Amino acid sequence: MSTRERTWWIVAGIGIILYALFPIAWIVSLSFKSASDISNGQFLPTVFTWENYALILTGDASELFLPALLNSFGICLIATALSCLLAMFAAYAIARLDFPGKRIILSTALAVAIFPVISIVTPLFNLWRQIGLYDTWPGLIIPYLSLTLPISIWTMSAFFREIPWEMEQAAQVDGATTWQAFRKVIVPLAAPGVFTTAIIAFFLAWNDFVYGISLTSTSAARPVPAALGLFSGASQFEDPTGGIAAAAVVVTIPVIVLVLFFQRRIVAGLTNGAVKG
Amino acid sequence: MTTTVPPGVGSSVEQPAARPTGLSDRIRAERRLGWMLAGPAFAVMLLVTAYPIFQAVYDSLFSYRLTDPGNRSFVGLHNYWVVLTDALWWQAFGVTAFITIVTVAVELVLGFALALVMLKALKGLRPILRAAILLPYAIITVVSAFAWQFAFDLTSGFVNSWFAWLPGISADTDWFGQTGTSLLVICLAEIWKTTPFISLLLLAGLAQVPDVLQEAAQVDGATWWQRMRKVTIPNMKAAIMVALLFRTLDAFRVFDSVFIMTAGANGTETVSFLAYRQTIARLEIGLGSAVSVLLFLSVVLIAFGFIKGFKVDLSQARGEK
């Protein structure tokens, strides 16, 4: 590669990094602006302040934000765990066993994935009110499965299909019991796929907004995105911009941590199913 | 790239090579086990989608509002008639179609450019690019919507002061004051957020184009542009179609950004937002259900059109949002 070409690709690469990070840098910068700086018309704060974080973590807005953060973590982790468990069995069956209906299961997963969430919310809103699931954790965990389960099934079965299942039999020939062969050979091979799937499913649940604002009414179950969307400031006379920016940064931290540690896996998981089917 | 897929590997129902060709009750036992393991996931998927949509179809046939539940009465297809003859529905439909077409078209071009850069990027730069490109994908849409809204906002924004040298932009340009500029900002936020998804799929597709073909074309004297048009793009048609299909369906459901930035003001209401407003805000279960069913039908039609019109091979696709 010539020096000129090399420079060109580096410039293009820096362009991508700027493209991806600029809006994030902006919301971080905004979260450190004091109330008087919010309207300074500049990208950066003139004085650096923690007051917005204090507002949402210990101040007046903490009773809105902290329960929502707890709800988001709890509901998303449970929904992710449930869908991974269900998807694990299904993906094992799809990759390993021969039974009619595999294609039906995969097509159903695809159909569920393209389903407009709002079409599910309308009837659920009414039903949940009648059976008492409105504004509860299970009332969000169940619909979240419609977001997390399809992708879990597709991603995991793509991973599972690559496991050399013959190794299980080879281990049995060498004297391992069925369970030992499964535990010692298959489980370690399957674990990375399950883990990757869990991260992607968690992202999807963490990102939900429609279910969050439609199926909750109090801090009993309202997740962070919905709380942010309905955040009107500590008092009606105060502009909530700084507080929202700080809250946005806090909920973005888990995402950034996962991306930085597991980027290679996430990309493999996202594209695996797409190119391998 | 981490995907080291040889081209053409795997189809969704491919069977493992070493299959015991045993007795028929052994096959039956395997089938039973298969459904026992996959059945719960299948049942849950039906429960959380098929059931609600049937309920929505049923509810849409009634005049039913939660503020007045006593007067619930069967009205047949009247709700659909009301919705489809209302200018509000057609405006929401037009706005949704506009956002979908603009964002998907820009994202396809931009995503392809990003994928090309990532493919060619120097080894040391690649992990950094990959991490950077994943961030918009993984960030909450609501957060992205706020970031873009605050950037263009009259009081908190920096865009007006940064771009004051451009004709038409001044310190008091109110981006969220009119339909056109509001939609522009909504589209920008959507494009930023979802281009990474397209570019990752296209990158996986690019990695699958055999190098041999590229080299052969180069030896034959094809220019970069000719190779792109005659070799690269035809060879990654499946990846392009899958990316297009998923993004189109996803864009058609746009809701979060609209809710945050304009709350449907200034004629920026989308179909999803209309359904939300009818049901959750106005408690008009009957009318809202009719809108939901129409939205569902639109999505099914788009998917069907893609699969038939472009012959997308769905065994190559996957359940990405």
Side-chain angles (χ1 to χ4, degrees):
Chain A
M1 208 184 285
S2 69
T3 326
R4 191 160 154 261
E5 247 181 292
R6 222 182 141 79
T7 325
W8 199 93
W9 289 120
I10 291 177
V11 170
I14 293 171
I16 292 189
I17 293 171
L18 277 181
Y19 165 86
L21 297 187
F22 193 72
I24 302 172
W26 157 243
I27 200 100
V28 172
S29 157
L30 194 57
S31 75
F32 289 117
K33 282 186 176 182
S34 66
S36 58
D37 250 3
I38 293 280
S39 55
N40 70 356
Q42 290 168 23
F43 190 81
L44 295 171
T46 50
V47 190
F48 184 91
T49 170
W50 288 99
E51 68 187 34
N52 296 314
Y53 289 92
L55 176 75
I56 58 157
L57 295 176
T58 56
D60 292 342
S62 64
E63 56 206 81
L64 280 169
F65 181 68
L66 293 179
L69 198 59
L70 180 72
N71 289 335
S72 265
F73 265 111
I75 293 169
C76 294
L77 286 177
I78 295 172
T80 303
L82 277 179
S83 72
C84 277
L85 192 70
L86 287 169
M88 209 156 58
F89 291 128
Y92 175 83
I94 288 166
R96 181 71 207 284
L97 304 173
D98 188 20
F99 64 102
K102 282 187 202 185
R103 202 176 261 278
I104 296 175
I105 293 169
L106 287 172
S107 323
T108 307
L110 196 66
V112 172
I114 62 172
F115 214 87
V117 170
I118 208 90
S119 299
I120 302 178
V121 149
T122 307
L124 281 191
F125 171 71
N126 203 12
L127 179 70
W128 272 194
R129 294 173 81 96
Q130 284 161 6
I131 63 174
L133 280 179
Y134 184 76
D135 205 21
T136 64
W137 277 28
L140 280 186
I141 292 169
I142 296 168
Y144 275 16
L145 290 178
S146 75
L147 304 172
T148 54
L149 197 49
I151 195 170
S152 302
I153 291 176
W154 271 88
T155 314
M156 250 193 247
S157 50
F159 274 117
F160 280 16
R161 241 180 248 127
E162 275 166 46
I163 295 177
W165 296 98
E166 299 80 21
M167 281 174 65
E168 203 183 357
Q169 279 140 10
Q172 284 182 39
V173 171
D174 288 347
T177 65
T178 313
W179 175 244
Q180 278 175 331
F182 184 75
R183 230 197 66 78
K184 299 264 161 108
V185 178
I186 298 304
V187 171
L189 287 174
V194 174
F195 187 69
T196 304
T197 308
I199 294 177
I200 297 174
F202 181 80
F203 280 164
L204 286 183
W206 191 247
N207 185 32
D208 160 73
F209 181 63
V210 178
Y211 289 133
I213 49 162
S214 307
L215 302 177
T216 65
S217 58
T218 66
S219 59
R222 177 166 286 156
V224 173
L228 271 179
L230 303 171
F231 194 47
S232 51
S235 85
Q236 287 190 313
F237 303 101
E238 206 176 319
D239 189 13
T241 306
I244 290 177
V249 171
V250 172
V251 296
T252 305
I253 290 171
V255 163
I256 290 186
V257 169
L258 286 177
V259 164
L260 288 184
F261 279 102
F262 304 110
Q263 39 146 321
R264 185 178 279 274
R265 292 232 179 117
I266 298 168
V267 172
L270 279 176
T271 51
N272 219 335
V275 290
K276 291 183 201 171
Chain B
M1 211 51 253
T2 48
T3 41
T4 51
V5 209
V9 165
S11 82
S12 56
V13 287
E14 199 175 40
Q15 293 171 9
R19 172 140 314 285
T21 48
L23 303 158
S24 71
D25 48 329
R26 181 176 179 146
I27 291 174
R28 234 175 319 178
E30 195 170 320
R31 287 182 173 185
R32 198 159 349 113
L33 182 63
W35 270 105
M36 265 169 58
L37 290 173
F42 187 66
V44 169
M45 285 194 296
L46 289 187
L47 198 75
V48 292
T49 46
Y51 162 71
I53 198 67
F54 282 122
Q55 182 70 41
V57 171
Y58 178 78
D59 284 339
S60 71
L61 301 177
F62 289 85
S63 164
Y64 182 19
R65 60 177 72 164
L66 277 186
T67 45
D68 185 17
N71 275 334
R72 183 170 179 270
S73 60
F74 183 80
V75 292
L77 295 176
H78 180 70
N79 284 328
Y80 291 95
W81 174 253
V82 172
V83 173
L84 289 174
T85 52
D86 195 322
L88 216 55
W89 158 264
W90 291 108
Q91 194 190 345
F93 193 88
V95 165
T96 312
F98 175 81
I99 294 177
T100 305
I101 291 167
V102 169
T103 56
V104 173
V106 174
E107 282 173 24
L108 193 65
V109 176
L110 190 61
F112 198 77
L114 295 191
L116 278 179
V117 174
M118 284 198 282
L119 186 76
K120 289 284 170 72
L122 309 170
K123 269 230 157 66
L125 204 58
R126 219 174 280 169
I128 305 170
L129 288 186
R130 194 171 45 207
I133 203 87
L134 271 178
L135 284 174
Y137 166 80
I139 273 170
I140 299 179
T141 315
V142 171
V143 168
S144 137
F146 272 125
W148 287 86
Q149 189 206 355
F150 290 153
F152 283 85
D153 190 81
L154 263 181
T155 47
S156 63
F158 63 89
V159 170
N160 281 349
S161 56
W162 275 26
F163 294 100
W165 49 275
L166 278 177
I169 300 180
S170 64
D172 53 357
T173 302
D174 185 5
W175 295 85
F176 299 104
Q178 314 126 38
T179 312
T181 47
S182 305
L183 285 180
L184 176 77
V185 183
I186 290 172
C187 286
L188 282 176
E190 286 286 305
I191 289 166
W192 176 76
K193 170 87 176 75
T194 50
T195 302
F197 172 67
I198 279 202
S199 76
L200 287 174
L201 284 190
L202 293 181
L203 181 59
L206 272 176
Q208 279 194 309
V209 178
D211 283 340
V212 196
L213 287 181
Q214 295 279 16
E215 281 155 22
Q218 201 158 13
V219 170
D220 288 346
T223 62
W224 181 85
W225 179 241
Q226 282 171 330
R227 270 181 286 146
M228 195 50 84
R229 269 189 45 212
K230 304 278 182 184
V231 181
T232 311
I233 291 176
N235 269 293
M236 52 184 296
K237 197 172 148 243
I240 295 176
M241 284 304 156
V242 168
L244 261 185
L245 171 68
F246 278 106
R247 268 307 301 148
T248 305
L249 294 173
D250 195 34
F252 202 80
R253 299 178 285 184
V254 56
F255 179 83
D256 307 15
S257 301
V258 175
F259 186 101
I260 298 296
M261 292 199 216
T262 62
N266 298 324
T268 54
E269 191 164 73
T270 61
V271 175
S272 283
F273 196 87
L274 182 66
Y276 167 82
R277 201 163 55 84
Q278 290 300 326
T279 320
I280 314 292
R282 296 189 55 215
L283 303 175
E284 290 265 15
I285 302 290
L287 268 181
S289 297
V291 177
S292 295
V293 172
L294 287 172
L295 172 64
F296 171 67
L297 289 179
S298 313
V299 167
V300 169
L301 273 179
I302 295 173
F304 190 77
F306 258 96
I307 292 164
K308 286 285 163 207
F310 296 102
K311 301 192 169 51
V312 180
D313 181 7
L314 276 187
S315 70
Q316 293 227 3
R318 54 184 283 281
E320 165 50 22
K321 64 150 229 170

